[in-house]
Amino acid sequence: MMENLKTKNIIAAIALSLVLASCKAPMATVIKDEVKENIPQNFNQEEQQDANNNSGTTPWRQFFTDPNLVTLIETALKNNQELLITLQEIEIAKSGVLAKKGKLTPTVSAGIGAGLKKAGRYTSEGAGDATTEIEPGKEMPDPLGNFEAGLNASWEIDIWKKLRTEKESAVAHYLSTVEGKNFVLSNLIEEVADNYYELLALDNQLDIIQQYIKLQQRALEISKIQKEAAAATELAVKKFEAELAKSKAAEYTIRQQITEKENEINALLGRYPQPIVRTKENFMSTIPPTVYTGIPSQLLANRPDIKQAELELKASKLDVEAARKEFYPSLEISATLGLEAFKPSYLVKLPESIAYNLAGELAGPLINKSAIKANFQTADAKQVQALYEYDKTILNAYLDVANLMSKVKNIDQYYQLKSQETKALDQSIDIANQLFRNSRADYLEVLLNQRDALDAKMELIEAKQKQLSTVVDIYKSLGGGWK
């Protein structure tokens, strides 16, 4: 009696030591988000921003007023391949949540089986079967068949909440894919708008070059007339002819750029090449909408890429927690219930053919933990990596807005000065042409004035395009475009 008690105590001690040994788990790296905590109060220390005014919260349909651009954006949101790919990533992440959720519930399966066994006569099993009667006067069959049908169930009891932690991680990852989709939406709208404004700029540059060609043709005619009147030389005629050919070549270059830009927009819209509906006449008179930046901390709630990085950081922390709990013992319960007999006709004899089994197992890693340690170290490193990615996203978002705020002001000043330059050069062209007709100015003066005016008008159009695109860019940088 004492020996049995002593044996039980030894077994219990060994079991307890196994559990305690398996519960020794390493600690995760403690991370601190200093970038988020130290985000500045304003984008520009010289100016105070109003937290109540933030263009990033404005829906894109209200921000963009050009009906042609709105139509293009709507088409892109329906057909863009990158967006459609992102939507499938959301579905994949959603399936991951369901898979983790399924682990919290028992696994039940049904099955049937059949087998045949022949035990050796001179074994304990064979000798026992030979001397056993199923019924009076009826010996045990040899070989012995086995037929069964029933239910099997297994269930891992989540005693350490490891499975719940894995599910929470899957949910966080799913939510991050949703924010990733929002970020793709924001980028897509920005790309469509920027390319649309670039296309309008090319349209206006084409008009300018065509006007310049007409101007060159008139200057060439005048130079020919003056040559016949001995008021100009053959050199002046050739110079005007060369300038005219150069301008015509530039026209075809712009036409090719327009074709490529249209196809670039069509690619964003997920369709084959076709004309882009647009109105170019009001491009130069378009006034960019006023953008209100709010305060930097609002980027954390408005920018989808920051929220995506934050959720990935949360998921990585949960992954570390789940990996750490792999060091703990797991409790699994298994059960079977069904009918079993050595002959199919005996399966219906109840309750004799009823068979069941119930077992519980508490087991944990003891000696070879290298794989578990490796998984934990990988999860821990990914957690630190996710923090750095989150910090980088916040920092880049802040710098984006700060740079674009400065760009908006400088491009506005640049546009105003280019407008003044264009007006002055237009006046100088008229004066130079009048003097040239009256033989009071050299042909080089006319050419130089015309070239300067052309360059200034081209740059003015580019300035307008940059003015509009910069406003779109800062709208996207503030988190706008996906609502």
Side-chain angles (χ1 to χ4, degrees):
M1 183 72 176
M2 293 296 293
E3 290 182 358
N4 291 335
L5 181 60
K6 186 177 181 180
T7 301
K8 291 180 179 179
N9 290 336
I10 293 173
I11 294 174
I14 293 174
L16 180 61
S17 64
L18 291 175
V19 172
L20 292 176
S22 65
C23 286
K24 292 182 180 179
M27 298 301 295
T29 303
V30 179
I31 59 177
K32 186 177 180 181
D33 194 358
E34 295 182 357
V35 173
K36 179 180 178 180
E37 293 176 357
N38 297 325
I39 190 169
Q41 296 296 318
N42 294 284
F43 292 106
N44 188 339
Q45 300 303 323
E46 298 177 357
E47 298 180 7
Q48 296 293 324
Q49 279 84 42
D50 185 3
N52 296 321
N53 288 327
N54 191 321
S55 297
T57 60
T58 303
W60 68 266
R61 293 178 185 275
Q62 297 178 16
F63 187 81
F64 298 105
T65 57
D66 187 332
N68 294 322
L69 176 56
V70 170
T71 301
L72 293 174
I73 293 175
E74 288 176 342
T75 305
L77 295 181
K78 294 178 182 177
N79 302 330
N80 182 261
Q81 281 80 16
E82 183 179 355
L83 179 58
L84 296 176
I85 292 171
T86 305
L87 293 176
Q88 294 308 307
E89 291 178 356
I90 293 176
E91 294 300 318
I92 294 171
K94 187 186 296 184
S95 299
V97 174
L98 294 176
K100 296 299 182 182
K101 184 179 179 181
K103 289 186 177 182
L104 291 168
T105 57
T107 300
V108 181
S109 61
I112 58 175
L116 188 66
K117 183 177 181 182
K118 173 70 171 70
R121 177 65 179 81
Y122 300 109
T123 62
S124 59
E125 183 180 355
D129 289 345
T131 58
T132 302
E133 293 183 345
I134 302 172
E135 297 176 357
K138 192 171 184 179
E139 296 181 353
M140 183 75 71
D142 186 28
L144 185 65
N146 185 56
F147 300 89
E148 58 183 0
L151 300 176
N152 300 307
S154 62
W155 186 21
E156 181 180 351
I157 307 299
D158 196 20
I159 54 178
W160 310 109
K161 295 186 178 181
K162 183 194 71 169
L163 300 179
R164 288 183 177 85
T165 302
E166 291 178 350
K167 176 194 167 186
E168 290 175 6
S169 173
V171 171
H173 178 65
Y174 162 72
L175 294 176
S176 77
T177 60
V178 175
E179 295 299 338
K181 180 264 296 182
N182 293 336
F183 190 57
V184 171
L185 281 175
S186 185
N187 282 334
L188 178 59
I189 291 174
E190 179 195 33
E191 285 189 77
V192 172
D194 284 346
N195 282 281
Y196 178 75
Y197 291 137
E198 289 175 13
L199 181 59
L200 291 179
L202 288 171
D203 288 337
N204 281 264
Q205 287 180 336
L206 181 61
D207 289 343
I208 292 297
I209 200 72
Q210 289 174 341
Q211 294 173 13
Y212 185 65
I213 288 173
K214 293 179 180 179
L215 187 64
Q216 286 296 311
Q217 289 173 337
R218 288 196 296 269
L220 176 60
E221 292 171 358
I222 293 173
S223 66
K224 288 180 178 179
I225 294 172
Q226 289 186 335
K227 178 194 170 186
E228 293 176 357
T233 64
E234 180 68 16
L235 179 61
V237 175
K238 294 303 180 183
K239 284 288 187 179
F240 280 116
E241 286 180 349
E243 189 71 14
L244 179 60
K246 179 182 177 182
S247 300
K248 289 183 177 180
E251 177 185 1
Y252 288 104
T253 299
I254 295 177
R255 288 186 182 277
Q256 178 61 26
Q257 291 175 341
I258 289 174
T259 299
E260 293 177 0
K261 187 58 63 176
E262 282 188 314
N263 289 339
E264 190 172 346
I265 294 175
N266 282 315
L268 291 173
L269 271 56
R271 66 188 188 187
Y272 287 105
Q274 56 183 274
I276 301 297
V277 179
R278 58 199 186 269
T279 304
K280 62 182 180 180
E281 287 75 19
N282 299 326
F283 176 72
M284 295 303 295
S285 61
T286 302
I287 299 176
T290 303
V291 176
Y292 302 97
T293 60
I295 57 177
S297 59
Q298 291 176 327
L299 292 174
L300 304 178
N302 292 340
R303 283 206 33 154
D305 58 333
I306 294 180
K307 293 194 286 184
Q308 181 184 19
E310 183 180 17
L311 288 165
E312 286 295 340
L313 176 59
K314 179 181 178 181
S316 67
K317 290 180 180 179
L318 292 168
D319 287 339
V320 173
E321 185 179 344
R324 187 171 184 271
K325 290 175 180 178
E326 289 290 345
F327 289 91
Y328 301 160
S330 59
L331 175 60
E332 293 189 8
I333 296 176
S334 60
T336 59
L337 175 63
L339 304 176
E340 186 176 16
F342 62 80
K343 193 175 182 180
S345 59
Y346 286 178
L347 287 175
V348 295
K349 289 189 175 183
L350 303 176
E352 290 83 355
S353 61
I354 294 177
Y356 60 85
N357 177 52
L358 179 64
E361 181 182 25
L362 181 65
L366 181 61
I367 298 176
N368 187 3
K369 298 182 180 181
S370 58
I372 299 176
K373 288 181 180 178
N375 290 336
F376 172 78
Q377 291 170 355
T378 300
D380 192 44
K382 287 183 177 180
Q383 173 194 219
V384 178
Q385 187 182 49
L387 173 66
Y388 293 151
E389 188 68 31
Y390 180 52
D391 289 345
K392 184 183 75 172
T393 305
I394 294 176
L395 184 60
N396 288 342
Y398 178 87
L399 293 175
D400 282 346
V401 176
N403 290 337
L404 288 169
M405 285 176 62
S406 175
K407 187 176 180 180
V408 166
K409 294 179 181 179
N410 291 328
I411 199 67
D412 286 344
Q413 294 297 322
Y414 177 81
Y415 180 79
Q416 296 300 326
L417 292 173
K418 278 295 174 183
S419 297
Q420 296 176 17
E421 179 187 3
T422 301
K423 291 178 182 178
L425 288 172
D426 279 341
Q427 294 173 356
S428 69
I429 286 179
D430 293 337
I431 295 172
N433 286 337
Q434 185 176 356
L435 292 174
F436 182 66
R437 284 193 296 269
N438 296 326
S439 301
R440 295 176 59 187
D442 186 73
Y443 68 89
L444 289 176
E445 293 180 284
V446 177
L447 281 175
L448 290 174
N449 273 282
Q450 290 177 347
R451 288 178 183 175
D452 290 342
L454 175 64
D455 292 341
K457 288 181 179 180
M458 290 294 196
E459 291 172 355
L460 181 64
I461 293 172
E462 289 180 1
K464 171 58 69 174
Q465 178 264 314
K466 290 179 180 179
Q467 191 182 45
L468 294 170
S469 293
T470 301
V471 171
V472 174
D473 294 343
I474 194 172
Y475 171 64
K476 174 251 180 182
S477 295
L478 290 169
W482 59 272
K483 295 183 180 179

